[in-house]
Amino acid sequence: MSEFFSTYGSLIVSMVLGALLGLSLYLPLMTGQLSLASPGFYALGGYTAAILSTKVFTSTSDLFPIPLLLIEMVIAGVISGLLGVVIGIPTLRLRGIYLAIATIAFVEVLRVLSLNLEITGSAVGIFGIPQPFQTQIEYLWIALPLLLIAMVLFYRLERIKVGRAFTAIREDELAAGAMGINPTYYKVLAFTLGAILAGVVGAISAHFLNTWNARQGTFDASIIYLTFVLIGGSRTFLGSIVGGMVFTALPEVLRSLADTGGLPNWLAQFLRDGRLIIFGLLIVVGTIFFPQGLVTPDILKKRKVKNKQI
Amino acid sequence: MDINLFLQQFLNGLSIGSVYAIFALGYTLVYSILGIINLAHGAVFTLGAYFTYALMGGTFGFNGLLANATLPVKLPFAIALILGSSLAGLVGVAMERIAFQPLRRKGSDPLLTVVSSLGVAVVIVNLIQYLVGAESYTYPAGAYGSLPASINFGSPENPIPIRSVQIVIFVVSVVFVAILTYFINSTKYGKAMQAIAEDPTTASLLGINTDGFIVLTFFISSFLAGLAGTLVASSVSIAGPYFGIAFGLRGLAVIVLGGLGSIPGAVLGGLVIGLVEAFVPGEYSGYKDAVAFAILFVMLIVRPQGLLGRRFIQKV
């Protein structure tokens, strides 16, 4: 068992973080807004933690104190949330593809800034970020409770007034407005909550990866998180969690599949080096055959009905 | 800024702006017909550069599946440029068939089509990496025949040298913008395309083969992307499979600035962004990549329909 955890520990933690990132993109999507800003806030949260832990909270002990890590997570969340409000208010007047483009622009501007500023370590980035744990798997002590709390909150959110307002705006913004729901307020709220979540995950990831640079928040990252949500399922938060976990694990699964032996040489090599080609094909096939993603509310409902019959 | 430097930067900006323009024209054509942004446009840009490179007799490096391969042909630049771009156009047609048509048939949300195009981009970029590796390639020497490296636009006492490559890029781009404008505005096929852009259902009721024209649109769009890719690569060398990604994002800035779906808008947007980038002072050159996006961001907030775009009417 311990061998399993030492081999796959880092992958398991990555999967949990992937699920959380998927959720951060799912939040604005709950109101029907395709925002690709998550990687920007993720990068920002990571830089916040990286700068704080290497320049401000310098401790002499071997392991970075966990309370300080929690403080960093809170600070990262607050900074991302504030920027989320500032960016959200003007951009959320835009719809559909315009919003997607505006958020791509936001992520690119942040990326270029972090590449050029001294405080973010310019092109090299920040490395030697102190570790709060002895092994990678122990990051689950932070990441897993966060995911569980997020799941409980999302479960509640989909059943209270705020969540219903989100769905109403997604289905028909004008009608929702006519019903007395303030679309701008709820859209900015959903966007900001997503920003906070991405920022907090960034703070954990910076420690987890030990190094942080401008490559963390790129257009590629936007695509990958979008895949989590859209292929996982964009109509229920469980879809984002499943998508985040499966798509984070997929490259590793393909790699180990290639190493099993017995496969023709070309196929093994393709599985090893062509992982991202398979990834891209899955996006295309997924959008055509599973437009609502793999995990849909219908699937969940059917299961419930079956259980009752038994 | 002294007048010579100003003129030099102006001409550089004009040259890069004209490539932005033809690249963005492809984007905007697909948008005006289908109402979607094809995010694989930047990947096709890269493909065009590689096709032309191969057709000119370029050898691939040792990193991919095609290590040290060379085509048996060795075409002159002008012919390779057209053939390579046409191959990129055919890729566009295949892409439409595989990733766009099934979604259109089902009447899916246009945003899903955008995601599907992202999938295509991921496939193309990684396929290139798989086949030819991630190294940079320089176009074979003599691509531009016997042209001198630079041409002097000033007087002998007051020289304003411009690289010949820049002039070739500018001339080729202007020629293709002119051809496309003529095609769209003055031919039967162009008018049919305009009709489809206006209202696909009515157009097909009037006997226009909508599907056929969508294929044609994808061919032209991807041809222009491949052309732009080749032109840029001939000036800076192809730097791996990710060569077109940044360019693709900048193309987004160009079309939004000009007005989504507007052809003159794409040309104007390309020139504006090319010129503004050329005038970023040297000491801030690190921020050059953010200029287009900063302009885009401000534009979206101030005037989302773009410089020449139509104000959108919300349908209830």
Side-chain angles (χ1 to χ4, degrees):
Chain A
M1 202 62 184
S2 69
E3 199 186 327
F4 174 82
F5 279 131
S6 64
T7 319
Y8 293 103
S10 113
L11 178 63
I12 294 168
V13 178
S14 304
M15 282 166 70
V16 175
L17 295 177
L20 284 163
L21 285 170
L23 286 177
S24 81
L25 209 112
Y26 172 70
L27 265 164
L29 213 61
M30 279 179 86
T31 62
Q33 311 303 309
L34 178 65
S35 153
L36 296 173
S38 279
F41 294 114
Y42 173 69
L44 186 68
Y47 274 119
T48 308
I51 293 166
L52 284 175
S53 60
T54 52
K55 303 223 166 79
V56 185
F57 299 152
T58 43
S59 70
T60 46
S61 62
D62 277 357
L63 292 176
F64 189 73
I66 291 171
L68 286 183
L69 173 63
L70 294 175
I71 294 173
E72 283 177 9
M73 284 161 63
V74 172
I75 297 175
V78 169
I79 294 179
S80 299
L82 287 176
L83 191 66
V85 175
V86 173
I87 297 291
I89 290 174
T91 49
L92 286 163
R93 292 184 309 142
L94 303 166
R95 280 157 220 276
I97 196 70
Y98 285 89
L99 177 68
I101 295 174
T103 50
I104 290 174
F106 161 72
V107 173
E108 279 297 303
V109 170
L110 275 190
R111 187 182 69 88
V112 173
L113 281 179
S114 63
L115 264 179
N116 287 286
L117 293 176
E118 210 168 302
I119 191 163
T120 53
S122 51
V124 189
I126 297 170
F127 43 87
I129 299 169
Q131 295 294 310
F133 302 108
Q134 299 250 322
T135 55
Q136 295 237 291
I137 186 75
E138 287 176 74
Y139 273 94
L140 277 184
W141 289 118
I142 298 286
L144 204 55
L146 191 63
L147 180 63
L148 292 175
I149 294 170
M151 282 172 77
V152 172
L153 290 178
F154 269 90
Y155 183 80
R156 284 297 302 146
L157 183 63
E158 289 187 348
R159 278 155 189 82
I160 60 173
K161 195 183 147 227
V162 178
R164 300 231 188 259
F166 286 175
T167 322
I169 294 167
R170 180 182 72 198
E171 295 305 329
D172 191 335
E173 191 179 329
L174 288 174
M179 299 288 288
I181 295 168
N182 179 350
T184 314
Y185 171 80
Y186 285 107
K187 282 198 282 185
V188 174
L189 180 67
F191 183 79
T192 306
L193 288 175
I196 292 173
L197 187 56
V200 171
V201 177
I204 304 174
S205 291
H207 285 277
F208 177 63
L209 296 175
N210 194 9
T211 159
W212 203 254
N213 54 45
R215 246 178 308 171
Q216 305 302 335
T218 58
F219 183 58
D220 283 10
S222 309
I223 298 174
I224 291 169
Y225 305 156
L226 187 68
T227 319
F228 292 174
V229 179
L230 288 161
I231 306 297
S234 54
R235 291 287 154 140
T236 155
F237 72 95
L238 287 172
S240 313
I241 294 175
V242 172
M245 291 193 162
V246 169
F247 278 94
T248 311
L250 186 68
E252 292 309 312
V253 172
L254 291 176
R255 192 204 302 270
S256 54
L257 211 65
D259 292 339
T260 47
L263 292 173
N265 230 345
W266 63 268
L267 186 62
Q269 203 196 336
F270 182 73
L271 287 177
R272 213 174 295 125
D273 300 332
R275 299 192 309 272
L276 282 163
I277 303 177
I278 298 171
F279 204 95
L281 285 173
L282 281 176
I283 300 180
V284 176
V285 173
T287 44
I288 295 172
F289 296 105
F290 304 99
Q292 297 215 329
L294 294 170
V295 183
T296 60
D298 291 346
I299 291 183
L300 300 172
K301 263 181 216 149
K302 271 180 205 155
R303 282 286 280 292
K304 269 182 200 157
V305 173
K306 260 189 201 159
N307 288 344
K308 266 178 203 161
Q309 281 170 343
I310 295 163
Chain B
M1 188 185 267
D2 89 280
I3 184 76
N4 277 9
L5 190 61
F6 176 85
L7 274 175
Q8 201 167 354
Q9 295 298 59
F10 181 79
L11 292 172
N12 279 336
L14 217 54
S15 167
I16 189 74
S18 63
V19 187
Y20 285 158
I22 53 166
F23 179 74
L25 273 175
Y27 253 132
T28 235
L29 267 182
V30 168
Y31 183 85
S32 64
I33 300 273
L34 292 181
I36 56 157
I37 300 280
N38 172 18
L39 289 174
H41 204 55
V44 177
F45 171 94
T46 314
L47 266 185
Y50 275 98
F51 284 146
T52 310
Y53 174 79
L55 288 168
M56 285 177 71
T59 315
F60 290 117
F62 51 86
N63 256 329
L65 219 56
L66 294 177
N68 300 320
T70 314
L71 283 184
V73 289
K74 202 170 179 158
L75 300 172
F77 181 71
I79 297 171
L81 173 74
I82 300 298
L83 270 183
S85 310
S86 305
L87 285 175
L90 289 179
V91 170
V93 171
M95 175 163 87
E96 198 275 334
R97 274 287 143 91
I98 296 166
F100 292 74
Q101 207 185 55
L103 286 165
R104 205 170 59 246
R105 289 267 157 82
K106 288 169 117 182
S108 303
D109 185 345
L111 281 182
L112 269 183
T113 319
V114 175
V115 177
S116 181
S117 75
L118 271 177
V120 175
V122 173
V123 171
I124 294 179
V125 165
N126 289 289
L127 207 55
I128 296 175
Q129 181 148 17
Y130 191 59
L131 292 177
V132 302
E135 52 210 298
S136 12
Y137 290 92
T138 313
Y139 269 41
Y144 288 111
S146 52
L147 272 182
S150 68
I151 294 171
N152 187 3
F153 271 78
S155 54
E157 319 69 82
N158 202 4
I160 308 169
I162 300 292
R163 287 171 67 206
S164 309
V165 183
Q166 310 283 74
I167 299 164
V168 172
I169 289 176
F170 180 70
V171 172
V172 175
S173 306
V174 169
V175 167
F176 276 92
V177 168
I179 295 176
L180 189 75
T181 315
Y182 173 79
F183 176 78
I184 300 266
N185 290 328
S186 312
T187 65
K188 197 172 76 178
Y189 300 108
K191 295 232 164 95
M193 275 167 79
Q194 286 185 42
I196 296 171
E198 204 60 51
D199 184 347
T201 321
T202 316
S204 67
L205 286 176
L206 290 170
I208 295 170
N209 174 3
T210 318
D211 273 349
F213 276 99
I214 289 174
V215 168
L216 179 66
T217 308
F218 267 88
F219 179 82
I220 298 175
S221 160
S222 299
F223 177 91
L224 291 174
L227 189 73
T230 304
L231 290 176
V232 175
S234 71
S235 139
V236 295
S237 89
I238 323 166
Y242 291 90
F243 175 58
I245 298 286
F247 210 88
L249 291 177
R250 225 167 288 182
L252 280 182
V254 168
I255 53 172
V256 173
L257 179 68
L260 275 182
S262 159
I263 287 173
V267 176
L268 179 67
L271 292 178
V272 168
I273 289 191
L275 284 171
V276 173
E277 279 184 356
F279 284 104
V280 173
E283 60 265 42
Y284 297 111
S285 62
Y287 292 98
K288 205 169 175 172
D289 288 337
V291 168
F293 292 103
I295 297 176
L296 166 69
F297 204 66
V298 173
M299 191 67 192
L300 277 170
I301 289 165
V302 179
R303 195 181 147 86
Q305 74 271 35
L307 291 172
L308 301 181
R310 281 184 268 176
R311 188 168 263 292
F312 27 66
I313 304 153
Q314 199 174 345
K315 287 178 196 158
V316 182

